[in-house]
Structure formats: structure tokens, C-alpha cells
């Protein structure tokens, strides 16, 4: 997982990576989703929390799914 920290001295790195990965909102109805689906990553781009957001790779998602399945079988 990559965390994007606020940096006021340059364009937000998360916006650059979203553009490079051709990510689109998960859904486009209002309110607009802060989850964007790209080619290789899913981006979470919240409007607050002191960070610009973070991205999840396929490996991150598989690990999260495994944890969810493990909790459901416990």
C-alpha cells in the first residue's frame, strides 16, 4: 500500500499517479466516489485526514480479502 502525504510544494503525487494509471471513479453518481479504479491499482482519495490518499495493489487487495475470509471462518 502506498500512502500519499500532503506536500504543498508540488502537485499532489496521488493526482499524478491517478492520471498515469488512467483511474476512473468507481461510480459517477453523486456524491462522487473517492475510490478510483485504475489499471494496476485502486486509489482512495479522501478529502481530509491530513493525507492526500493511498493506493492498493492487487496483492494488497488479496491480503485484505484473505483477512476478511479468515475472520468470517473464525
Amino acid at each position: 500500500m502506498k500512502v500519499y502525504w500532503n506536500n504543498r510544494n508540488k502537485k499532489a503525487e496521488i493526482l499524478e499517479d491517478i492520471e498515469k494509471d488512467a483511474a476512473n471513479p468507481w461510480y459517477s453518481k453523486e456524491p462522487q466516489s473517492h475510490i478510483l479504479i485504475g489499471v494496476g491499482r485502486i486509489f482512495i482519495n479522501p478529502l481530509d485526514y491530513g493525507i492526500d490518499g493511498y493506493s492498493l495493489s492487487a496483492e494488497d487487495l488479496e491480503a485484505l480479502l484473505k483477512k476478511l475470509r479468515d475472520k468470517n471462518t473464525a
Side-chain angles (χ1 to χ4, degrees), residues 40-59:
R41 292 182 281 179
I42 291 178
F43 295 89
I44 314 298
N45 191 10
L47 299 176
D48 50 15
Y49 302 117
I51 63 171
D52 282 341
Y54 50 93
S55 66
L56 299 169
S57 67
E59 292 81 17

Side-chain angles (χ1 to χ4, degrees), residues 13-25:
E13 185 181 359
I14 190 170
L15 297 178
E16 293 173 356
D17 283 354
I18 286 170
E19 187 176 299
K20 287 178 191 172
D21 209 30
N24 294 301

Side-chain angles (χ1 to χ4, degrees), residues 3-8 46-53:
V3 177
Y4 298 87
W5 297 97
N6 286 329
N7 183 347
R8 300 189 191 283
L47 299 176
D48 50 15
Y49 302 117
I51 63 171
D52 282 341

